[in-house]
Amino acid sequence: MTEQWIDPEIAEVLAATALPFEVLGDHNVGAVRRAQLEAAALLQPSAAVARTDHTVPGPAGGPDVVLRVHRPVDLDGPAPCLYWVHGGGYVIGSYRTEDLRLERLCLDLGCVAVAVDYRLAPETPYPGPMEDCYAGLAWVAAQAPALGVDPGRLGVGGGSAGAGLAAALSLAARDRGGPALAFQLLVYPMLDDRGATRSSGWAAPVWSPANNRYGWQAYLGDCYGTDHVPATAAPARADDLAGLPPAFVGVGSADLFVDEDVAYAHRLLHAGVPTELHVYAGAVHGFETITPAAALAVRLRRDVTEWLGRVMGAGVTGAGE
């Protein structure tokens, strides 16, 4: 296997960074989750964005779902809305870690953002996490007037597994007849459980093949390794991508997801879906979080903000810096 070239600015940070785990598994997933929540508690978002947590009905037979609504305090009238799904390989992560990311987007775009708290695998495998996210999305669409959201400018987005869930939500919303979605923002999405692409075998930093296997095994349960995996679990398995909302797909060239993400973007294009694809040379998985000051991270934030501004019909006030 050829070692992938990593941007020197990112490589320097990785060399000096102690990642919270080498190989993720049942033995340490709880400790990683606790460490993430401790880090989230140290975040200091500004008072320019109001944050309100709502407990809303979950899927049939499931528990209620918590949503955090972010809205600039000086935002008037119905606004576009980004329904955001956090990442973490389907096994870690929390909506509480997303405050600063969503604050920036709300202020730059003059929009509302909603972060969903979904159940995690392996305790809750598919379809529980996806159905939690769908129930929250349906509630936002139904409550759009009360939330000050323009239902015609509601879209989904996420990073990594969160982007995989956003892609799954786009498929589910199409096939279930709603909610209508205006866009899907997929940042290095986790889409394909089969691990059959060349890049899926790379010894990539941050998110390795071993971690990827664990995430998919935990999420799919007994379906893992079979041909009975639904498209709303692994969107790369979808037979038909026509009729989906416009998409942004962004991934680093040193990310083990690069092959499956590029392939998904190509399939969206071939299905007639307006799609913008960005491959960031030398970027690893999660690079804009791990190396936020790197030029490539700044470029990704700028590209995302500008694209969202276009599909939302919103005036971009910042450049994603």
Side-chain angles (χ1 to χ4, degrees), residues 153-180:
R153 294 188 287 168
L154 168 64
V156 295
S160 193
L165 283 163
L169 288 174
S170 298
L171 290 165
R174 179 198 64 182
D175 295 343
R176 298 178 187 183

Side-chain angles (χ1 to χ4, degrees), residues 79-83 111-114 140 149-150 153-156 183 312:
C81 179
L82 169 64
Y83 185 84
C111 72
V112 174
V114 179
V140 171
V149 166
D150 179 353
R153 294 188 287 168
L154 168 64
V156 295
F183 58 87
M312 286 180 170

Side-chain angles (χ1 to χ4, degrees), residues 169-221:
L169 288 174
S170 298
L171 290 165
R174 179 198 64 182
D175 295 343
R176 298 178 187 183
L181 297 177
F183 58 87
Q184 53 178 323
L185 170 63
L186 310 179
V187 181
Y188 37 77
M190 185 173 175
L191 300 168
D192 197 339
D193 63 293
R194 292 166 291 193
T197 69
R198 182 173 179 179
S199 69
S200 66
W202 288 346
V206 182
W207 191 249
S208 66
N211 287 337
N212 202 45
R213 284 191 297 272
Y214 174 71
W216 280 117
Q217 288 170 348
Y219 186 51
L220 297 179

